[in-house]
Structures are given as structure tokens and as C-alpha cells.
Amino acid sequence: MAEDLYEILGVSRGATEDEIRAAFRKAAKANHPDVNPNNAGAAERFKKITAANDILSDPEKRRQYDAGEIDAKGDIRRPQWNRAAGAQRGPYSARGFEGRPGASGFEDFSFSDIFSDVFGSGGGGRRASQGFAPRGQDLRYSLEVDFLEAVLGAKKRVTLPDGGVLDLTVPEGVMDGQTLRLKGKGTPGGPGSEAGDALVEIKVRPHADFKRDGDDILLELPITIDEAVLGGRVEVPTPTGRVQLNIPKGSSSGKTFRLKGKGVRGKNGAHGDQLVTVKIVLPQEIDDSLSYFFSEWRQKHAYDPGRK
């Protein structure tokens, strides 16, 4: 049995959009591959969490899922015919399909009546063979993108096994493991039926400096000992370019500064922040003047940094 999307995110069916968003961010953070390297179980949970959020965070897809019109993968459910009961099961219902009591327990239907009810008359209704024309199959692909392409968005091209290509737009803020749906780019359907979709799973390559935490960007910034002691302005890389950051006098390693709005654009359109954590890096060589200065300083200003 397919897993329930609400259970995957740990929310009730009556959850608000804010509750779903909060549950997704919490679950995604706990199971993100960057936080759980070489953990196949966490990677699989992260994929399920992302796929569940793709549907439940979209009001129309959520309505379709709640109504049973699409399954947990976002695929359209097809009508199922129960011959024994003489009724149709599934998300699509037709007027009178359950039958109305008659001399034999149910009124007689003609197949043309049934398909007219379900699919519309269309000037006499579709033929039964057209009503059951199968929808085309969805095709699944994988696409690797750079970290900054995922953050800023990009135009990419997927080469298909048969040599064909798919051009797609990687949306700004896409997450690792998220699946993009290209409507009608799957296999063709039967006569009168729609084509399947192309489902492209995004794989985000790690960045040398940046890490992602939800909609926030994390960066560790090396600073010199004199910048830590005296303070100063330093250049900081961000996904959209370098900016100036003011380092206060007496900044220790591990102190974190927040660059407002320099993170990833979220689904609500607002950007997260960039969190810059400074790390004091000593010079490669400690010369005599620096050694003499600190030996003199230590004699007069020795202090306990909290070591146990």
C-alpha cells in the first residue's frame, strides 16, 4: 500500500500551509544528505519528504490528492471497473454508477449511457474503446546541477537515451532530490488520451564553500588574527556576488553573522539569509616580532578562555 503523504511529513490532513511548510523544513533538515553523509536510509527519507511536499504544498495538487484524483507520486489514477458490483471504483464517479433499485436490483445501463455520463456526450459520446485509451507512461530521468544553479535557477538540457533532448528550466531554489514534472513530455497516450509526463530528479553537486540549511546559506569565513582583535571590513562571497561584512573588534572563532536576504528564495517568494561563521586562521609562520609581542602581552593580560 502506498504511504500516506501526510504521514510522511508528520501532519494531519487538516494541516495549514504554514504547518506543512514548517514540517517539511524540519524533516528535510533532519534527513538532508549533507547532514547524514553515507546514510542511504536518510537519503531515501529525504526523497520521500521532498516528493510529499511537492504535492501537499501545491493547493491544486493537494486537492487532487485528497480527492483521490492523483496518487502519492502525482500520477493520475485511472477508473477501475468492478464487474461483480457493476460499478466503477476510484476517484472518478458518474451519475447513477452505483445503480438504482429496479426489478433485478439495478436499473439497466447501456455502455453508451455510462461513457456519456463519465466523459460527456460530445455529440453522441465517445466510443467505449476511446474511453479506455491508456494515458502515456511517465518517464523518469536524473539531472545533476551545480549548487549555484540550484540556488539561482538555470536553463538545462537533458539528453534522452534515444538521443533526443529535453529543455527545462531549473527553478530558483530547487532542492537536492526534488523532482520536476514536465507535462506531456513522456510517452504518447492512446487515441484521445493524454501523453505521460517527464519526471526529472534533481541532484545538486556540493559547493566548495557554501552549504544549504533550508532556505539559508551557510559559509565558514577565515579571518586573520589582527582582524579578529582589531576588527575591520572583509569581503564575503555570496551566491550573487561579494559583499562587505563588518567584523567587530574582539570577534572569536565561531561567531556567526547574518546577511539578511542573501539566502535561497523560498516557495513563498521570500529569501532566506546567509549565515557567516568566522574562523581565526594564524599566519603560516610565527615570526620573532609576533612571538615577542604575545609573550609580553601574556605576562600582563593572561586570561582563562573557559578551558576545563
Side-chain angles (χ1 to χ4, degrees), residues 216-261:
D216 293 335
I217 298 288
L218 310 181
L219 173 72
E220 186 177 75
L221 180 71
I223 61 173
T224 64
I225 188 172
D226 54 294
E227 288 170 334
V229 173
L230 303 175
R233 292 182 67 80
V234 297
E235 276 197 347
V236 178
T238 75
T240 56
R242 304 181 77 84
V243 300
Q244 294 287 322
L245 173 66
N246 184 48
I247 303 293
K249 184 185 298 185
S251 294
S252 300
S253 283
K255 185 174 180 61
T256 299
F257 301 91
R258 184 181 296 272
L259 298 178
K260 199 71 175 174

Side-chain angles (χ1 to χ4, degrees), residues 24-96:
F24 167 68
R25 292 190 65 173
K26 179 179 179 182
K29 181 177 180 180
N31 293 278
H32 197 281
D34 288 346
V35 181
N36 303 275
N38 303 318
N39 186 332
E44 183 61 27
R45 288 193 297 274
F46 183 79
K47 289 182 181 180
K48 291 182 179 180
I49 290 164
T50 303
N53 184 66
D54 285 344
I55 290 178
L56 297 185
S57 64
D58 184 310
E60 177 58 19
K61 289 182 181 178
R62 182 181 180 184
R63 183 199 65 76
Q64 292 175 322
Y65 177 72
D66 289 345
E69 296 174 8
I70 60 174
D71 60 21
K73 294 181 180 179
D75 295 332
I76 296 176
R77 285 197 175 108
R78 307 308 299 169
Q80 299 176 6
W81 178 257
N82 184 336
R83 294 187 180 183
Q88 182 178 359
R89 298 179 291 128
Y92 302 95
S93 62
R95 174 172 49 83

Side-chain angles (χ1 to χ4, degrees), residues 209-213 216-220 273-276:
D209 301 315
F210 299 123
K211 293 185 183 299
R212 180 171 177 175
D213 181 11
D216 293 335
I217 298 288
L218 310 181
L219 173 72
E220 186 177 75
D273 302 328
Q274 180 166 319
L275 305 179
V276 182

Side-chain angles (χ1 to χ4, degrees), residues 9-32:
L9 289 185
V11 297
S12 68
R13 285 188 168 268
T16 64
E17 292 184 11
D18 287 342
E19 289 172 338
I20 289 174
R21 185 182 302 110
F24 167 68
R25 292 190 65 173
K26 179 179 179 182
K29 181 177 180 180
N31 293 278
H32 197 281

Side-chain angles (χ1 to χ4, degrees), residues 225 229-230 289-305:
I225 188 172
V229 173
L230 303 175
S289 63
L290 185 61
S291 296
Y292 177 77
F293 170 80
F294 274 107
S295 64
E296 290 290 313
W297 186 90
R298 181 164 58 185
Q299 292 181 29
K300 300 177 181 179
H301 305 283
Y303 70 101
D304 182 357

Side-chain angles (χ1 to χ4, degrees), residues 130-183:
Q130 288 179 318
F132 279 113
R135 175 181 179 272
Q137 289 186 338
D138 292 338
L139 299 179
R140 295 183 178 271
Y141 304 98
S142 180
L143 175 66
E144 278 198 351
V145 299
D146 291 332
F147 182 92
L148 292 180
E149 289 178 325
V151 172
L152 302 175
K155 301 286 187 182
K156 302 294 286 186
R157 173 166 289 186
V158 179
T159 302
L160 308 181
D162 61 1
V165 294
L166 280 178
D167 291 315
L168 73 155
T169 299
V170 177
E172 186 177 351
V174 69
M175 297 187 71
D176 183 62
Q178 188 172 338
T179 298
L180 306 181
R181 181 180 292 272
L182 303 181
K183 193 71 174 174

